[in-house]
Amino acid sequence: MARWRQRLLSSACSSSSSSAAAPQALLRLASSALSRQSSSRGFAAAPDDTTPFVVDIPVPYAGHRCDPPEQRVETSAKELVDFFKVMYVMRRMEIAADSLYKAKFIRGFCHLYDGQEAVCVGMEAALTKEDAIITAYRDHCTHIGRGGTVLEVMAELMGRKSGCSLGKGGSMHMYNKEGNFYGGNGIVGAQTALGAGLAFAQKYNKQNAVSLALYGDGAANQGQLFEAMNISALWDLPVIFVCENNHYGMGTAEWRSAKSPEYYKRGDYVPGLKIDGMDVLAVKQGVRFAKEHALTKGPIVLEMDTYRYHGHSMSDPGSTYRTREEISGVRQERDPIERVRKLLLAKEIVTVADLKNLEKQAKAEVDEAVNQAKEGGQPETHELFTHVHVKGLKQLAYGPDRKEVIVPLP
Amino acid sequence: MAQKVLVPCSSSSSCGKVQFSPSRVHTQAIAFGGELSQSSSRKNKSLALKAVAAKGETSAPVTAKSGHEILLFDALREGLEEEMARDPTVCVMGEDVGHYGGSYKVTKGLAEKFGDLRVLDTPICENSFTGMGIGAAMTGLRTVVEGMNMGFLLLAYNQISNNAGMLHYTSGGQFKIPVVIRGPGGVGKQLGAEHSQRLESYFQSVPGLQMVACSTPYNAKGLMKAAIRSDNPVILYEHVLLYNLKERIPDEEYVLCLEEAELVRPGKDITILTYSRMRHFVLQAAKTLVERGYDPEIIDIRSLKPFDLFTIGNSIKKTHKVLIVEECMRTGGIGASLRAAIVDNFWDFLDGRPECLSSQDVPTPYAATLEDATVVQPAQIIVKVEQMLQGLI
């Protein structure tokens, strides 16, 4: 078990030390980039520069029944800055949700995603809006990644009518139809079957798109996941099963709940790939590889080795089943935002002051959204009965007096 | 071709008067040769049908020469085939629906006609293929999920209740789930406890679902078409013993209304509410009751969720007595909810408490005599109605 904890900190492979020299050693600029003109400030690249350059991925992939992709990924200055911005906004949003929960603006269950931002941001970099994503209840940041706004998320968390589900869904039920984001599901594991259905529809309609069904290490032991893998592999559905392995299913560590915690291998006949989920560029490369695989060969399982700083939800302190040293250790060694920060500084795309500015902007954006959301009104009482049914084929259900009623109760 | 679609009367009618909607006019006009008034001559007409495999004279709106005779499973298949031909987004999935043709032949021939993707043979994984059907429906496909026996869909209860029923609400109206979940249920002929389930009791309190039960080839085809065209998740309950019921149905296309009940036999002494197989038992009992001089009004409620309280209410306002005959168990069944609804809405019009004949609260036994004792039999219906009409209860 001690070895397992050690692995969490070093992400299972060549450990990335926290020295500042390491990122420099990892960078290998493509020769074309060297001849690029510097910006007027004399830096290597301006923050909005889209010229691609290649970055090494420190932690190797592990493949199951497939050859893993290259350990290098193409990115650009602009992309890295965007990564930083959106991940930082997500981080601030989750921290704001924490304080709002403690101040009783948010009630019920609130599952926070901080620490795992690299997974959803890296995914989006490799996908388009035609691809579909469905996830479980830790969905606030996934909703942002799919095009949602911080205001909608905050308003929904506080149960206001300006929320993305009109206040009727809550933390676990955030959806975005234009962004092809199918939620937001409360029951562990049920979304994997829905994800197979999304892929089925994509195959049926001959769309050149994939569906990603996200689930956690806890859900990886659900039977319906294996049923979904079977039917996806049987019919070559373009689905990517993504296990966001944060190593704890609420209070139960992975080695206490799974005989084989190598979740990328659990698909058996379905190929798998293990990715360092704290490295946004590794995630981008891995998902791009998976998308190609899903479109040509069939389903694939991705295991994102990631970590959550908060407990399972706001009702869980998160420290009864793991030590504070472990949490702070991962934060120091593997934090996704810090990695991008070091990369940006090492590549001299931005200065420390620039980053401070971006952080301030992000904080302001989130604070503004929180204030706006707080001012939002509660849904009206009649909204209790709307959206239970879609207007029927001939008529809505009538009550005994033949006037159209919204509540089709007996 | 103009679609002959049956619609209920939409005017806000006055209470207390039975409104024959155009659908019922259509139905009854042919059957009674145009007689609509409740004259006493009708009392002497023997209108009841035999229990099973009878030519439905009152429900089929065709004369003897037009239309075509069909068995119930074939009527379902016709409805499904017409909808699949009309709309390329309609697809079926279930166990053995494709190459095998369906365990009750409801999907026979469809795989050859529409291909393996549209008539999909699934492995035995109810939870995930129901979930898959629901996920596909979220994107706009109109999926028809078949449970080989409704009881098997208990394995998919989470998907049906949380994902089919509630997704439209929890997404704030963003996603529609136009899925149809269908299959045979009910007590069969010595199928055993686990294959004789009545799932309408379990699903009736899931918000967002719509439930209909078919009982004749005519309404089976119409309800199947309506369920597929509806944007709501609809559960279509078929009965395992009614698949070989024969009836003459129209050649023209028709779609029935999901929320409407069917007036099978107008009367004025007592309202008998029933659905699915019990409709035929009630009609069998009605033969005897009519001979003994009673005039029951028989309504096949068809829509199990929501109830067609308008039709039911008009009938109660006329007869002041109501008997519910159902196949669900006594506890928590459709009858229990219907009784509550009648008491809530029509208390002032009732002469006595609404009665209910339901199955016993036991697992369905295998032995034939015990199985017969589990469900309501026509003789019990006759006894109950006589007791009620003689003021004994």
Tab-separated table of all heavy atoms in Angstrom, chain A residues 22-39:
chain	number	residue	atom	x	y	z
A	22	ALA	N	13.784	20.925	-14.868
A	22	ALA	CA	13.189	19.786	-15.589
A	22	ALA	C	12.397	20.205	-16.823
A	22	ALA	O	12.607	19.656	-17.891
A	22	ALA	CB	12.332	18.971	-14.630
A	23	PRO	N	11.477	21.198	-16.673
A	23	PRO	CA	10.707	21.545	-17.882
A	23	PRO	C	11.604	21.980	-19.029
A	23	PRO	O	11.354	21.661	-20.171
A	23	PRO	CB	9.815	22.692	-17.421
A	23	PRO	CG	9.706	22.516	-15.961
A	23	PRO	CD	11.018	21.947	-15.533
A	24	GLN	N	12.643	22.709	-18.705
A	24	GLN	CA	13.544	23.153	-19.775
A	24	GLN	C	14.128	21.961	-20.498
A	24	GLN	O	14.209	21.916	-21.712
A	24	GLN	CB	14.685	23.985	-19.164
A	24	GLN	CG	14.270	25.360	-18.714
A	24	GLN	CD	15.033	26.431	-19.477
A	24	GLN	OE1	16.101	26.168	-19.996
A	24	GLN	NE2	14.486	27.631	-19.545
A	25	ALA	N	14.540	20.974	-19.718
A	25	ALA	CA	15.157	19.806	-20.323
A	25	ALA	C	14.185	19.066	-21.210
A	25	ALA	O	14.569	18.343	-22.113
A	25	ALA	CB	15.694	18.892	-19.229
A	26	LEU	N	12.887	19.226	-20.935
A	26	LEU	CA	11.903	18.460	-21.683
A	26	LEU	C	11.565	19.091	-23.022
A	26	LEU	O	10.990	18.472	-23.894
A	26	LEU	CB	10.602	18.340	-20.877
A	26	LEU	CG	10.724	17.617	-19.552
A	26	LEU	CD1	9.425	17.743	-18.790
A	26	LEU	CD2	11.044	16.166	-19.786
A	27	LEU	N	11.880	20.358	-23.170
A	27	LEU	CA	11.433	21.048	-24.374
A	27	LEU	C	12.377	20.802	-25.525
A	27	LEU	O	13.587	20.811	-25.375
A	27	LEU	CB	11.363	22.557	-24.099
A	27	LEU	CG	10.369	22.930	-23.012
A	27	LEU	CD1	10.406	24.400	-22.754
A	27	LEU	CD2	8.973	22.498	-23.396
A	28	ARG	N	11.771	20.574	-26.661
A	28	ARG	CA	12.570	20.400	-27.878
A	28	ARG	C	11.866	21.162	-28.948
A	28	ARG	O	10.835	20.749	-29.454
A	28	ARG	CB	12.633	18.921	-28.229
A	28	ARG	CG	14.035	18.379	-28.238
A	28	ARG	CD	14.148	17.014	-28.792
A	28	ARG	NE	13.047	16.539	-29.573
A	28	ARG	CZ	12.744	15.252	-29.694
A	28	ARG	NH1	13.455	14.367	-29.071
A	28	ARG	NH2	11.731	14.871	-30.415
A	29	LEU	N	12.395	22.323	-29.238
A	29	LEU	CA	11.720	23.117	-30.251
A	29	LEU	C	12.001	22.536	-31.613
A	29	LEU	O	13.102	22.146	-31.927
A	29	LEU	CB	12.234	24.557	-30.198
A	29	LEU	CG	11.893	25.310	-28.915
A	29	LEU	CD1	12.579	26.659	-28.895
A	29	LEU	CD2	10.403	25.487	-28.770
A	30	ALA	N	10.964	22.508	-32.406
A	30	ALA	CA	11.162	22.083	-33.790
A	30	ALA	C	12.042	23.102	-34.484
A	30	ALA	O	12.021	24.283	-34.154
A	30	ALA	CB	9.815	21.970	-34.481
A	31	SER	N	12.828	22.651	-35.443
A	31	SER	CA	13.825	23.539	-36.053
A	31	SER	C	13.166	24.744	-36.701
A	31	SER	O	13.708	25.833	-36.708
A	31	SER	CB	14.646	22.776	-37.073
A	31	SER	OG	13.761	22.115	-37.963
A	32	SER	N	11.986	24.564	-37.217
A	32	SER	CA	11.332	25.703	-37.861
A	32	SER	C	11.050	26.807	-36.873
A	32	SER	O	11.104	27.979	-37.205
A	32	SER	CB	10.030	25.249	-38.525
A	32	SER	OG	9.208	24.650	-37.559
A	33	ALA	N	10.770	26.414	-35.628
A	33	ALA	CA	10.420	27.427	-34.635
A	33	ALA	C	11.613	28.307	-34.302
A	33	ALA	O	11.469	29.449	-33.912
A	33	ALA	CB	9.877	26.758	-33.385
A	34	LEU	N	12.776	27.743	-34.454
A	34	LEU	CA	13.962	28.527	-34.066
A	34	LEU	C	14.141	29.735	-34.968
A	34	LEU	O	14.647	30.770	-34.561
A	34	LEU	CB	15.215	27.644	-34.153
A	34	LEU	CG	15.368	26.633	-33.026
A	34	LEU	CD1	16.500	25.678	-33.326
A	34	LEU	CD2	15.610	27.343	-31.714
A	35	SER	N	13.689	29.578	-36.197
A	35	SER	CA	13.895	30.688	-37.117
A	35	SER	C	12.742	31.680	-37.065
A	35	SER	O	12.692	32.621	-37.822
A	35	SER	CB	14.053	30.147	-38.538
A	35	SER	OG	12.901	29.393	-38.856
A	36	ARG	N	11.807	31.403	-36.164
A	36	ARG	CA	10.652	32.301	-36.074
A	36	ARG	C	11.081	33.655	-35.545
A	36	ARG	O	11.918	33.764	-34.673
A	36	ARG	CB	9.612	31.658	-35.156
A	36	ARG	CG	8.244	32.279	-35.263
A	36	ARG	CD	7.242	31.645	-34.294
A	36	ARG	NE	7.654	30.392	-33.739
A	36	ARG	CZ	7.999	30.214	-32.474
A	36	ARG	NH1	8.000	31.222	-31.646
A	36	ARG	NH2	8.356	29.025	-32.037
A	37	GLN	N	10.411	34.674	-36.000
A	37	GLN	CA	10.692	36.022	-35.525
A	37	GLN	C	10.199	36.172	-34.098
A	37	GLN	O	9.099	35.766	-33.777
A	37	GLN	CB	9.932	37.030	-36.387
A	37	GLN	CG	10.412	37.103	-37.816
A	37	GLN	CD	10.975	38.479	-38.083
A	37	GLN	OE1	10.626	39.429	-37.413
A	37	GLN	NE2	11.850	38.580	-39.065
A	38	SER	N	10.997	36.775	-33.271
A	38	SER	CA	10.539	37.012	-31.900
A	38	SER	C	9.580	38.174	-31.897
A	38	SER	O	9.586	39.006	-32.792
A	38	SER	CB	11.715	37.364	-31.001
A	38	SER	OG	12.727	36.421	-31.157
A	39	SER	N	8.770	38.225	-30.883
A	39	SER	CA	7.854	39.364	-30.761
A	39	SER	C	8.657	40.579	-30.327
A	39	SER	O	9.827	40.493	-29.979
A	39	SER	CB	6.775	39.052	-29.734
A	39	SER	OG	7.347	39.050	-28.454
